[in-house]
């Protein structure tokens, strides 16, 4: 069985889209199912929305020991990097669009704290912009929708950046994870799987909003993925039916 038939895919639920009145119930169930949690940090300036914060990360820590990945949508990235280092967020991912002149210092600060550094590319931003520091990143997140709000239109053209990043990683012998974020659901599972990202950020349309019960929603998500891609889910590993 080759690697295309036996691939480990990391799943990272977006906690912005969960039912906050079922916070403990949902995270307790997912703790044994997923690899990490995705936490959106928005300042109301980079995008017209304000959402989760470093304080929220501390609350998740009370009910989960899984890695937490912060996706910053902020204009003052160095300020928020310091806040996220203070709460020891496992992955700290800054927007590439505001990183010019501070990218290396932010990555160095994150690594010096023993944490992992990531960058996020919005739909209009090309991979070339991060090539100067791509070799020292731990993760690259490709936005497949416009940032700021859940439920926006899926932009299929962004998947080519995932393919490009895989090619660069193979050619240069790098080890960063490639993550995709946005409208990860039944309608798009097949094309996402074909692009082969390492990490799927799953939100309301792909998980939390499927049913009123997290266990049923999880079962439906797995079933939809298997039916649409031809892969089967087996303890965190997607296996080809071939």
């Amino acid at each position: 069985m080759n690697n295309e038939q036996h691939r480990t895919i990391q799943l990272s639920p977006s906690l912005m889209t969960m039912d906050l009145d079922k916070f403990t119930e949902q995270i307790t169930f997912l703790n044994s199912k997923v690899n990490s949690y995705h936490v959106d940090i928005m300042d109301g300036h980079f995008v017209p929305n304000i959402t989760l914060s470093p304080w929220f990360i501390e609350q998740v820590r009370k009910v989960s020991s899984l890695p937490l990945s912060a996706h910053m949508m902020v204009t003052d990235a160095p300020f928020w990097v310091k806040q996220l280092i203070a709460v020891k967020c496992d992955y700290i991912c800054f927007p590439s669009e505001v990183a010019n002149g501070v990218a290396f210092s932010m990555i160095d600060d994150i690594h010096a704290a023993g944490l992992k550094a990531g960058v996020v590319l919005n739909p209009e931003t090309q991979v070339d912009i991060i090539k100067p520091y791509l070799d020292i990143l731990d993760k690259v997140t490709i936005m497949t929708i416009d940032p700021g709000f859940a439920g926006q239109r899926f932009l299929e053209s962004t998947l080519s950046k995932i393919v490009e990043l895989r090619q660069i990683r193979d050619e240069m012998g790098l080890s960063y994870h490639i993550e995709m974020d946005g409208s990860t659901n039944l309608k798009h599972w097949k094309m996402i799987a074909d692009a082969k990202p390492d990490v799927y950020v799953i939100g309301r349309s792909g998980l939390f909003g499927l049913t009123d019960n997290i266990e049923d929603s999880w079962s439906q998500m797995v079933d939809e993925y298997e039916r649409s891609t031809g892969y089967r889910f087996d303890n965190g590993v997607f296996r080809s039916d071939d």
Side-chain angles (χ1 to χ4, degrees), residues 78-208:
F79 169 82
W80 289 100
V81 164
K82 290 183 175 63
Q83 307 304 309
L84 291 163
I85 287 174
V87 297
K88 301 187 184 304
C89 186
D90 302 276
Y91 283 85
I92 301 176
C93 306
F94 55 85
S96 58
E97 295 80 12
V98 299
N100 190 36
V102 292
F104 284 97
S105 60
M106 289 192 294
I107 295 168
D108 287 347
D109 287 346
I110 293 167
H111 285 161
L115 305 169
K116 296 185 183 297
V119 69
V120 184
L121 295 179
N122 284 333
E124 300 87 350
T125 307
Q126 299 304 308
V127 172
D128 282 351
I129 197 173
I130 63 171
K131 283 185 176 178
Y133 51 90
L134 187 55
D135 61 324
I136 56 173
L137 288 172
D138 302 293
K139 181 163 70 173
V140 180
T141 300
I142 299 300
M143 291 299 298
T144 53
I145 63 171
D146 285 333
F149 296 90
Q152 299 195 77
R153 183 169 72 90
F154 184 83
L155 303 169
E156 185 177 352
S157 63
T158 59
L159 297 176
S160 64
K161 287 185 278 188
I162 295 172
V163 177
E164 181 181 358
L165 283 164
R166 285 196 292 104
Q167 292 172 338
I168 294 172
R169 183 173 63 185
D170 291 344
E171 291 169 0
M172 297 183 63
L174 302 177
S175 58
Y176 53 79
H177 286 150
I178 304 167
E179 178 178 78
M180 65 76 54
D181 179 8
S183 202
T184 312
N185 57 37
L186 174 60
K187 186 176 180 180
H188 310 119
W189 273 129
K190 182 62 168 65
M191 62 182 74
I192 292 168
D194 287 345
K196 301 182 180 68
D198 307 301
V199 186
Y200 297 155
V201 176
I202 44 178
R204 189 152 193 86
S205 66
L207 176 62
F208 292 110

